[in-house]
Amino acid sequence: QNALYQSCHEDENDVQTISHKCQVVGREHYEQMTRSKKYQDRQDLYYLAGTYDPTTGRLVTADGV
């Protein structure tokens, strides 16, 4: 939950499809932040879980994920 994968894939999206900005941090930082009451219920906080290469279909998970 709340894991995102980075990719070099590109899409064109209408600006109206953007609902809000979010914050993406490393897994360790994410775990530290979510232990804090200030960030526990945030719906806009994500961590970087790895990378995806759309040309090869290869998914590489980050250490500790």
Side-chain angles (χ1 to χ4, degrees):
Q1 187 175 358
N2 287 16
L4 296 178
Y5 286 82
Q6 66 182 355
S7 173
C8 61
H9 177 78
E10 293 181 18
D11 275 329
E12 285 190 28
N13 297 297
D14 191 284
V15 71
Q16 294 173 336
T17 64
I18 300 170
S19 63
H20 61 280
K21 71 179 191 175
C22 68
Q23 185 174 1
V24 181
V25 297
R27 175 69 185 233
E28 285 185 30
H29 194 198
Y30 174 83
E31 289 176 358
Q32 289 171 356
M33 291 173 79
T34 55
R35 282 193 290 265
S36 162
K37 287 189 179 199
K38 178 180 178 183
Y39 294 101
Q40 263 179 348
D41 296 325
R42 285 190 48 184
Q43 299 297 314
D44 61 348
L45 180 62
Y46 299 87
Y47 67 91
L48 184 60
T51 58
Y52 172 70
D53 184 341
T55 58
T56 63
R58 186 170 178 210
L59 185 68
V60 178
T61 303
D63 291 338
V65 176

